[in-house]
Amino acid sequence: MLDDTLPHSAFSASPQAVDPLALTAGTVLLHRGDPVEHLLHILQGRVVLGVMVEGVMAHQLGVVEGPFWLEAASGLLGLPHAVDALAETDVQLQNVPVQDFVARVQALPEDSQNLLMDMARSQRQQTEMGVSRLAKDADARCAEWLLRHAQPDELLGGLAVKFTERKRTIAAQLGIAPETFSRVLRHLRDRQLISGGGRVLGLPNPQALRDLAGV
């Protein structure tokens, strides 16, 4: 999960100055690559961060819960948004112009400013690294997970994977949406890289899975 590096007590938006907004679950709050014109201060609710593909959060990087400043580091550094953000629940937030937020930081003592900027640069770097890891193909990540959890199965006469967790939980571990995980399994089955169904999957061609995973 991504950490919020900025203290809320010092930078909480004033309710008198910025009226809270109420948005429903499923609302896209940020688009990766867009310029930062406003900072969103999540007061209540959960928000998923990651990379969206065709309107779906295909690759999940983390989940944050209010109170939380979304992408404050990008705003301080004058960089575009590094991630997409999707409201997982109904949320209440305040929409603060980035120049107002930056002005508050610039009003702090110089040592505090330097510390916050160092933290912002570090947080941005960590986020970019996380997004870069997400760029690894979902098929490859699933293939690697299957190989890591494979065990000999006498009944199938080869390797098999027994699901001991819900597929939704496994998808979260892989940083992908449950729908993406199900779609990848269908693709692997169509390519005859996995067999069976339910809670036990056979791996009839482990070498092809290793090639796909790049291991």
Side-chain angles (χ1 to χ4, degrees):
M1 180 183 296
L2 298 178
D3 292 327
D4 184 6
T5 60
L6 303 176
H8 297 288
S9 58
F11 300 105
S12 295
S14 170
Q16 289 76 23
V18 183
D19 292 332
L21 301 174
L23 299 176
T24 59
T27 301
V28 179
L29 304 178
L30 298 178
H31 291 280
R32 188 165 59 103
D34 281 359
V36 181
E37 298 177 349
H38 293 80
L39 291 180
L40 301 186
H41 185 217
I42 305 300
L43 302 173
Q44 293 181 358
R46 288 194 309 277
V47 177
V48 179
L49 306 177
V51 177
M52 299 188 71
V53 178
E54 297 181 352
V56 176
M57 186 62 76
H59 307 299
Q60 182 174 313
L61 189 59
V63 178
V64 298
E65 193 162 352
F68 193 94
W69 285 99
L70 284 182
E71 282 280 271
S74 297
L76 280 178
L77 298 172
L79 297 173
H81 291 300
V83 293
D84 297 311
L86 180 72
E88 186 177 51
T89 66
D90 292 349
V91 297
Q92 286 191 342
L93 58 83
Q94 291 169 312
N95 199 359
V96 180
V98 67
Q99 60 267 26
D100 291 353
F101 186 88
V102 171
R104 297 184 192 185
V105 173
Q106 292 175 341
L108 295 172
E110 184 177 356
D111 287 348
S112 298
Q113 290 186 49
N114 292 337
L115 174 61
L116 282 174
M117 294 303 293
D118 286 344
M119 294 170 68
R121 282 187 284 268
S122 176
Q123 196 268 348
R124 174 73 185 206
Q125 183 179 37
Q126 291 174 10
T127 301
E128 289 178 344
M129 290 176 59
V131 171
S132 177
R133 285 195 293 268
L134 290 181
K136 186 175 182 180
D137 187 82
D139 286 17
R141 276 184 278 150
C142 289
E144 185 177 3
W145 185 91
L146 289 168
L147 290 167
R148 192 165 62 246
H149 291 82
Q151 298 289 336
D153 189 294
E154 294 182 1
L155 184 61
L156 295 176
L159 295 177
V161 174
K162 296 181 180 179
F163 289 107
T164 59
E165 299 175 294
R166 298 178 61 186
K167 290 183 179 179
R168 178 175 296 274
T169 303
I170 298 170
Q173 294 171 5
L174 293 171
I176 59 178
E179 297 80 7
T180 302
F181 185 54
S182 296
R183 185 169 65 249
V184 169
L185 291 180
R186 287 196 299 271
H187 290 170
L188 296 179
R189 186 174 285 106
D190 291 342
R191 296 165 63 181
Q192 299 182 342
L193 298 183
I194 61 174
S195 61
R199 302 192 68 83
V200 180
L201 294 179
L203 308 184
N205 194 340
Q207 185 55 52
L209 278 178
R210 294 188 189 97
D211 293 342
L212 178 59
V215 297

